[in-house]
Amino acid sequence: MSEGRPTLSSEVEIIVCDITNPASLDEMAKQATVVLNCVGPYRFYGEPVVKACIENGASCIDICGEPQFLELMYWKYHEKAAEKGVYIIGSSGFDSIPADLGVIYTSNKINGTLTAVESFLTIHSGPEGLCIHDSTWKSAIYGFGDQRSLMRLRKGANLKPVPTVGPKLKRRWPVSYCRELGSYSIPFMGADVSVVKQTQRYLHENLEQSPVQYAAYVTVGGITSAMKLMFAGLFFLFFVKFGIGRQLLIKFPWLFSFGYFSKQGPTQKQIDASSFTMTFFGQGYSQGSSPDASKPNIRICTQVKGPEASYVATPIAMVQAAMTLLNDASDLPRAGGVFTPGAAFSRTKLIDRLHQHGIEFSVISSSEV
């Protein structure tokens, strides 16, 4: 002890386990209260860890951004996790805590009922530009290459639609101009929309909250950048349809992503100079106004800001999610199960914890129309 503070041992024990060796995963899970699983693509490496955690009474948090894996884990393991009283919480990194908790934050801050939100992600980079590790690229390749499986999974679930409150949120064109941010934008192809929709379903069905419609975009600057990224996106979507195309995409990420992804990932200088801002534009109804008889009459703009997304913000989000799981047990869903971050943490102090550690939530403006 030094000045009343605990000190860490000079040596931290390492537990070696292998997903091809279930016994080693069991031995690992038996020694844990919460397992933080950072190993993807999760469609290949994630399920054995989830299974071992549930069977051995450990909760599990991951940073998966793969909708098929996240939704499959719910249908396969939610009831088993609830029986064991453990929490399996996916997408607890940059995908999708800023988006999922950002919508909840916006809903909590509006002076009325929030009905629809659009988010716009802006990635800021320094003079050396932006680079993302190809593990994210691989997850996207496998995900988009197997979209039929996700469609079959959703069709088989046969869920009744979540009610739409207020006017239906119109989707923007593939390339659109955001006047408020002075930038062109394209649809965000990550897991955010899938995760937020699952959260809103949970909050509506279990906590009787009014569901929020959601759409996600990423800003790309001028029209030249927008067309470049759209071309790259179309090129990508064509290649992932074929086996040889997927092999080429995996082998040459730098070439086919126009330099945005590489096997080496970002340099330390690139990480230090990078940050993100996610801006939310919401609309809804002031207290006393009826969505059935009038147009939305209140607007709100909020932001979530943080450091570099993959190597700085993601560890912050994941660790603070784990700390919340350990310390805010009374505010979690009563039984265990498989949850999105918003479903698990909507009533906890996770937003406060994130804010204290550099992922900041703020209201930019709020006004009645």
mmCIF file of all heavy atoms in Angstrom, residues 8 60 66 72 76 83 92 108 134 138 187 199 284 292 316 318 348 358 362:
data_model
loop_
_atom_site.group_PDB
_atom_site.id
_atom_site.type_symbol
_atom_site.label_atom_id
_atom_site.label_comp_id
_atom_site.label_asym_id
_atom_site.label_seq_id
_atom_site.Cartn_x
_atom_site.Cartn_y
_atom_site.Cartn_z
ATOM 1 N N LEU A 8 -0.527 -2.705 -7.651
ATOM 2 C CA LEU A 8 -0.627 -3.936 -8.426
ATOM 3 C C LEU A 8 0.622 -4.790 -8.231
ATOM 4 O O LEU A 8 1.712 -4.273 -8.025
ATOM 5 C CB LEU A 8 -0.795 -3.613 -9.916
ATOM 6 C CG LEU A 8 -2.115 -2.965 -10.326
ATOM 7 C CD1 LEU A 8 -2.061 -2.587 -11.800
ATOM 8 C CD2 LEU A 8 -3.285 -3.900 -10.075
ATOM 9 N N CYS A 60 -19.911 -11.879 -19.713
ATOM 10 C CA CYS A 60 -18.990 -11.662 -20.833
ATOM 11 C C CYS A 60 -19.354 -10.370 -21.555
ATOM 12 O O CYS A 60 -20.536 -10.108 -21.812
ATOM 13 C CB CYS A 60 -19.058 -12.841 -21.810
ATOM 14 S SG CYS A 60 -17.934 -12.717 -23.222
ATOM 15 N N GLU A 66 -20.534 -7.084 -35.429
ATOM 16 C CA GLU A 66 -21.068 -7.986 -36.452
ATOM 17 C C GLU A 66 -22.514 -8.334 -36.102
ATOM 18 O O GLU A 66 -22.763 -9.166 -35.224
ATOM 19 C CB GLU A 66 -20.218 -9.249 -36.517
ATOM 20 C CG GLU A 66 -18.737 -8.983 -36.770
ATOM 21 C CD GLU A 66 -17.862 -10.180 -36.434
ATOM 22 O OE1 GLU A 66 -18.263 -11.313 -36.776
ATOM 23 O OE2 GLU A 66 -16.796 -9.995 -35.826
ATOM 24 N N LEU A 72 -27.495 -13.686 -33.371
ATOM 25 C CA LEU A 72 -27.500 -15.135 -33.196
ATOM 26 C C LEU A 72 -27.265 -15.511 -31.737
ATOM 27 O O LEU A 72 -27.905 -16.429 -31.205
ATOM 28 C CB LEU A 72 -26.424 -15.767 -34.079
ATOM 29 C CG LEU A 72 -26.301 -17.301 -34.017
ATOM 30 C CD1 LEU A 72 -27.589 -17.954 -34.506
ATOM 31 C CD2 LEU A 72 -25.113 -17.775 -34.842
ATOM 32 N N LYS A 76 -29.717 -17.906 -29.395
ATOM 33 C CA LYS A 76 -29.199 -19.190 -28.926
ATOM 34 C C LYS A 76 -28.988 -19.244 -27.419
ATOM 35 O O LYS A 76 -29.124 -20.312 -26.804
ATOM 36 C CB LYS A 76 -27.870 -19.525 -29.631
ATOM 37 C CG LYS A 76 -28.007 -19.861 -31.088
ATOM 38 C CD LYS A 76 -26.704 -20.342 -31.693
ATOM 39 C CE LYS A 76 -26.312 -21.715 -31.196
ATOM 40 N NZ LYS A 76 -25.145 -22.265 -31.938
ATOM 41 N N GLU A 83 -31.016 -18.104 -17.015
ATOM 42 C CA GLU A 83 -31.086 -19.182 -16.020
ATOM 43 C C GLU A 83 -29.866 -19.172 -15.105
ATOM 44 O O GLU A 83 -29.967 -19.446 -13.909
ATOM 45 C CB GLU A 83 -31.204 -20.534 -16.720
ATOM 46 C CG GLU A 83 -32.552 -20.768 -17.397
ATOM 47 C CD GLU A 83 -32.551 -22.040 -18.237
ATOM 48 O OE1 GLU A 83 -31.524 -22.767 -18.209
ATOM 49 O OE2 GLU A 83 -33.559 -22.293 -18.913
ATOM 50 N N SER A 92 -19.742 -3.580 -27.146
ATOM 51 C CA SER A 92 -19.455 -2.631 -26.070
ATOM 52 C C SER A 92 -18.175 -1.836 -26.302
ATOM 53 O O SER A 92 -17.477 -1.476 -25.350
ATOM 54 C CB SER A 92 -19.384 -3.368 -24.724
ATOM 55 O OG SER A 92 -20.642 -3.884 -24.375
ATOM 56 N N ASN A 108 -33.176 11.097 -22.830
ATOM 57 C CA ASN A 108 -33.254 11.569 -21.444
ATOM 58 C C ASN A 108 -33.215 13.092 -21.343
ATOM 59 O O ASN A 108 -33.753 13.669 -20.388
ATOM 60 C CB ASN A 108 -32.094 10.990 -20.626
ATOM 61 C CG ASN A 108 -32.233 9.498 -20.397
ATOM 62 O OD1 ASN A 108 -33.327 8.940 -20.511
ATOM 63 N ND2 ASN A 108 -31.131 8.838 -20.090
ATOM 64 N N ASP A 134 -6.782 -4.099 -40.396
ATOM 65 C CA ASP A 134 -7.576 -4.904 -41.318
ATOM 66 C C ASP A 134 -8.458 -5.940 -40.626
ATOM 67 O O ASP A 134 -9.258 -6.603 -41.289
ATOM 68 C CB ASP A 134 -6.675 -5.580 -42.358
ATOM 69 C CG ASP A 134 -5.971 -6.820 -41.833
ATOM 70 O OD1 ASP A 134 -5.630 -6.850 -40.636
ATOM 71 O OD2 ASP A 134 -5.749 -7.747 -42.629
ATOM 72 N N LYS A 138 -11.785 -7.319 -42.284
ATOM 73 C CA LYS A 138 -12.144 -8.739 -42.449
ATOM 74 C C LYS A 138 -13.545 -9.012 -41.916
ATOM 75 O O LYS A 138 -14.328 -9.739 -42.547
ATOM 76 C CB LYS A 138 -11.130 -9.616 -41.728
ATOM 77 C CG LYS A 138 -9.772 -9.696 -42.403
ATOM 78 C CD LYS A 138 -8.813 -10.555 -41.577
ATOM 79 C CE LYS A 138 -7.437 -10.608 -42.220
ATOM 80 N NZ LYS A 138 -6.466 -11.375 -41.387
ATOM 81 N N PRO A 187 -24.466 6.575 -45.722
ATOM 82 C CA PRO A 187 -24.946 5.716 -44.635
ATOM 83 C C PRO A 187 -23.792 5.029 -43.908
ATOM 84 O O PRO A 187 -22.822 4.600 -44.531
ATOM 85 C CB PRO A 187 -25.833 4.693 -45.357
ATOM 86 C CG PRO A 187 -26.261 5.388 -46.609
ATOM 87 C CD PRO A 187 -25.098 6.239 -47.014
ATOM 88 N N THR A 199 -32.066 -2.376 -28.901
ATOM 89 C CA THR A 199 -32.232 -1.687 -27.624
ATOM 90 C C THR A 199 -33.606 -1.050 -27.513
ATOM 91 O O THR A 199 -34.284 -1.170 -26.472
ATOM 92 C CB THR A 199 -31.144 -0.609 -27.451
ATOM 93 O OG1 THR A 199 -29.873 -1.245 -27.324
ATOM 94 C CG2 THR A 199 -31.396 0.249 -26.219
ATOM 95 N N GLY A 284 -39.168 15.304 -31.665
ATOM 96 C CA GLY A 284 -40.190 14.654 -30.872
ATOM 97 C C GLY A 284 -41.290 15.614 -30.507
ATOM 98 O O GLY A 284 -41.542 16.598 -31.224
ATOM 99 N N ASP A 292 -50.293 11.717 -32.191
ATOM 100 C CA ASP A 292 -51.358 11.290 -33.095
ATOM 101 C C ASP A 292 -52.044 12.476 -33.776
ATOM 102 O O ASP A 292 -52.696 12.310 -34.798
ATOM 103 C CB ASP A 292 -52.412 10.486 -32.323
ATOM 104 C CG ASP A 292 -51.819 9.224 -31.708
ATOM 105 O OD1 ASP A 292 -50.937 8.626 -32.347
ATOM 106 O OD2 ASP A 292 -52.238 8.868 -30.588
ATOM 107 N N ILE A 316 -11.701 2.197 -23.459
ATOM 108 C CA ILE A 316 -12.387 2.964 -22.422
ATOM 109 C C ILE A 316 -13.824 2.477 -22.273
ATOM 110 O O ILE A 316 -14.303 2.198 -21.165
ATOM 111 C CB ILE A 316 -12.371 4.472 -22.750
ATOM 112 C CG1 ILE A 316 -10.958 5.046 -22.644
ATOM 113 C CG2 ILE A 316 -13.313 5.236 -21.812
ATOM 114 C CD1 ILE A 316 -10.833 6.470 -23.150
ATOM 115 N N MET A 318 -15.223 -0.358 -23.205
ATOM 116 C CA MET A 318 -15.330 -1.746 -22.761
ATOM 117 C C MET A 318 -15.052 -1.891 -21.264
ATOM 118 O O MET A 318 -15.802 -2.562 -20.532
ATOM 119 C CB MET A 318 -14.357 -2.610 -23.559
ATOM 120 C CG MET A 318 -14.520 -4.099 -23.323
ATOM 121 S SD MET A 318 -13.286 -5.051 -24.202
ATOM 122 C CE MET A 318 -14.170 -6.577 -24.470
ATOM 123 N N THR A 348 -28.137 2.648 -15.555
ATOM 124 C CA THR A 348 -26.911 2.670 -14.757
ATOM 125 C C THR A 348 -26.195 4.015 -14.896
ATOM 126 O O THR A 348 -26.688 4.935 -15.558
ATOM 127 C CB THR A 348 -25.954 1.549 -15.197
ATOM 128 O OG1 THR A 348 -25.451 1.864 -16.512
ATOM 129 C CG2 THR A 348 -26.663 0.193 -15.241
ATOM 130 N N GLY A 358 -13.212 10.492 -20.635
ATOM 131 C CA GLY A 358 -12.837 11.076 -21.916
ATOM 132 C C GLY A 358 -13.790 10.868 -23.065
ATOM 133 O O GLY A 358 -13.544 11.356 -24.165
ATOM 134 N N SER A 362 -22.908 15.582 -24.410
ATOM 135 C CA SER A 362 -23.342 16.955 -24.163
ATOM 136 C C SER A 362 -24.541 17.312 -25.027
ATOM 137 O O SER A 362 -24.744 16.738 -26.112
ATOM 138 C CB SER A 362 -22.211 17.945 -24.427
ATOM 139 O OG SER A 362 -21.803 17.892 -25.787
#
